[in-house]
Amino acid sequence: MAKKTVEDIDLKGKKVLVRVDFNVPVKEGVITDDTRIKAALPTITYILNHGGKAILFSHLGRVKTEEDKAGKSLAPVAKRLSELLDKPVNFVSETRGKDLEDAISNLGDGDVVVFENTRFEDIDGKKESKNDPELGKYWASLGDVFVNDAFGTAHRSHASNVGIASTGIPTVAGYLMEKEIKFIQEAVENPKRPMVAILGGAKVSDKIGVIENLIEKADKILIGGGMTYTFYEAKGLGIGNSLVEADKVELAKSLIEKAGDKLILPVDSVTAAEFSNDVPTETHDYDVPEGQMGLDIGPKTVELFADVLKDAKTVVWNGPMGVFEMSNFQKGTIGVCEAIANLKDATTIIGGGDSAAAAEQLGFADKFSHISTGGGASLELLEGKTLPGLAAINDK
Ligand code: ADP
Ligand code: MG
């Protein structure tokens, strides 16, 4: 179902509540990566250009106790936003109360206020994270319309997304939310074929829902990363000391059976005696010998995967092919990135925090059609789940 967006409502002179995802890394008061702030700019700029009064809010990190508040203020974010917008941004250091209400009534058309970390409301009874209805009602009372652009929290039912929306205030999606949904949902529900899913990362258990959903949807599923060895165990192949989830071997067996020749496992691994970049590596076809652990897919697997990928029209990738954080074990992930970069006419999507980080770190970020900004939310979309934050947005 298509959702209303910021373009479907009148913003002129309206107090526009905007739930953004400003959950950026902050070290000693300095923002170390402002990608998420930049990702929110199209929506904010659109609202300001159309005469809205923007009231912005977000969570930042986890806040359970008074001490957790240190370093979790949105003040540095408001400052950075002011630089990016090249205009003043008023910051209110509370999540409710007179200062906030006054700041909002003083807003002129095209003005911006940011208020404090929504999770500061979690100290006293988790009001934000448990979606306390009073809190959602209070925040909703501060505005005329609600724009939800926080895709990264769309899989959560919190006061600052679902709570506000469920008061009945007109609720629409921002551009980031719209873009994430368009790419990921379309790739899963209505892909151009052939569709190839690449699934890796550490554990099968994190990705069961995704594998089960994509077995139905994809034409091929390529498996890499640590989860390879649980599948190997299921097939009776040698795994040495590789990562394995003993309680998921039966599940792996049934997935192999269900998927048939859709599911493609690595044919070789790069291994080492320790989880370390400082010991010699070996390459082995199929079985990993005793004393070794599989830490990356091998060169033959890269070739095999590249061959499957070359005809793909849709590629969905979640989970690195190896321990890409160590230079000895990044060739598999690089190889898959290269194969994807070579595709001419395909929609290519990365969902997953570490996979996105890998593509950035290895220099392939601009080669993808879409890199999701929301790890957990994109995973749940790939699982075919309904995201509560998305469901709460008004239908077109
Ligand atoms: P994402 O965040 O993209 O969903 P995951 O969190 O599932 O990805 O997995 C990422 C992690 O998996 C990385 O830190 C990587 O080092 C690890 N990993 C990949 N391959 C292996 C392997 N063979 N053995 C152990 N860990 C692995
Ligand atoms: Mg991860």
Side-chain angles (χ1 to χ4, degrees):
M1 175 69 82
K3 295 291 177 181
K4 279 194 179 161
T5 76
V6 74
E7 293 183 9
D8 295 315
I9 47 167
D10 181 25
L11 298 164
K12 179 103 194 70
K14 297 274 168 62
K15 288 177 282 180
V16 187
L17 297 164
V18 196
R19 175 52 160 106
V20 281
D21 181 1
F22 282 165
N23 184 28
V24 294
V26 180
K27 279 205 185 93
E28 279 144 30
V30 179
I31 296 164
T32 52
D33 179 0
D34 63 2
T35 309
R36 284 186 167 154
I37 308 178
K38 287 182 175 150
L41 290 177
T43 300
I44 299 169
T45 311
Y46 180 88
I47 293 167
L48 303 181
N49 288 344
H50 287 76
K53 305 167 180 184
I55 305 156
L56 310 181
F57 49 100
S58 171
H59 78 284
L60 200 168
R62 286 205 182 135
V63 185
K64 290 193 184 117
T65 62
E66 204 55 47
E67 293 75 64
D68 289 344
K69 283 184 172 180
K72 304 274 172 55
S73 171
L74 280 180
V77 175
K79 187 163 163 276
R80 182 77 188 111
L81 179 65
S82 169
E83 290 161 9
L84 291 168
L85 289 173
D86 195 21
K87 67 182 288 162
V89 170
N90 188 8
F91 176 70
V92 176
S93 60
E94 59 183 29
T95 49
R96 61 168 95 202
K98 186 156 182 338
D99 284 354
L100 176 58
E101 290 156 25
D102 287 348
I104 291 171
S105 34
N106 290 333
L107 287 174
D109 296 359
D111 284 351
V112 191
V113 63
V114 174
F115 71 75
E116 190 52 286
N117 188 348
T118 54
R119 289 206 183 148
F120 283 15
E121 291 282 351
D122 277 352
I123 289 171
D124 179 18
K126 292 210 163 192
K127 291 196 171 70
E128 156 73 327
S129 297
K130 292 220 164 120
N131 189 10
D132 175 77
E134 291 310 316
L135 182 59
K137 234 185 256 174
Y138 171 72
W139 280 334
S141 76
L142 301 173
D144 304 311
V145 293
F146 178 38
V147 177
N148 186 354
D149 208 20
F151 175 73
T153 41
H155 59 312
R156 305 271 183 236
S157 194
H158 289 175
S160 64
N161 58 354
V162 173
I164 297 175
S166 54
T167 63
I169 187 172
T171 300
V172 301
Y175 287 116
L176 177 63
M177 180 76 88
E178 186 193 22
K179 184 171 166 228
E180 292 272 9
I181 301 305
K182 182 179 156 282
F183 272 105
I184 304 176
Q185 220 164 38
E186 236 165 68
V188 177
E189 301 304 331
N190 194 19
K192 284 184 289 167
R193 295 190 180 276
M195 176 211 189
V196 179
I198 310 169
L199 301 174
K203 296 200 213 134
V204 183
S205 52
D206 292 339
K207 305 289 164 75
I208 296 168
V210 178
I211 303 174
E212 282 179 337
N213 190 36
L214 293 184
I215 278 180
E216 310 282 335
K217 311 272 159 87
D219 298 294
K220 293 280 181 225
I221 297 183
L222 310 178
I223 299 283
M227 69 164 85
T228 302
Y229 306 100
T230 301
F231 284 97
Y232 268 25
E233 178 83 9
K235 288 182 74 92
L237 291 163
I239 62 164
N241 295 333
S242 307
L243 191 67
V244 64
E245 290 169 280
D247 60 334
K248 293 291 174 286
V249 173
E250 282 308 310
L251 176 86
K253 266 185 204 164
S254 75
L255 290 170
I256 290 169
E257 238 165 68
K258 198 168 159 194
D261 56 10
K262 262 192 192 185
L263 192 87
I264 303 177
L265 293 172
V267 294
D268 59 351
S269 299
V270 177
T271 71
E274 286 166 37
F275 191 84
S276 157
N277 207 34
D278 305 321
V279 294
T281 62
E282 298 176 5
T283 303
H284 296 278
D285 291 352
Y286 294 105
D287 302 271
V288 175
E290 284 309 315
Q292 292 281 304
M293 54 179 89
L295 297 173
D296 194 8
I297 58 173
K300 289 179 189 162
T301 305
V302 170
E303 221 170 282
L304 172 68
F305 285 6
D307 193 54
V308 175
L309 283 164
K310 74 180 191 307
D311 300 317
K313 288 283 174 281
T314 303
V315 179
V316 174
W317 181 22
N318 175 276
M321 296 291 96
V323 184
F324 72 95
E325 297 92 336
M326 299 184 203
S327 58
N328 285 349
F329 311 108
Q330 40 182 233
K331 288 195 192 76
T333 304
I334 292 175
V336 165
C337 279
E338 278 169 348
I340 294 171
N342 285 333
L343 298 177
K344 293 280 174 295
D345 183 30
T347 304
T348 57
I349 296 166
I350 298 184
D354 291 296
S355 326
E360 303 266 352
Q361 187 193 313
L362 302 173
F364 288 90
D366 61 339
K367 302 292 184 202
F368 288 82
S369 313
H370 182 66
I371 299 185
S372 178
T373 56
S378 57
L379 211 59
E380 292 199 14
L381 266 190
L382 295 177
E383 289 174 12
K385 285 191 185 155
T386 304
L387 309 186
L390 176 63
I393 295 169
N394 301 155
D395 295 325
K396 272 223 204 246

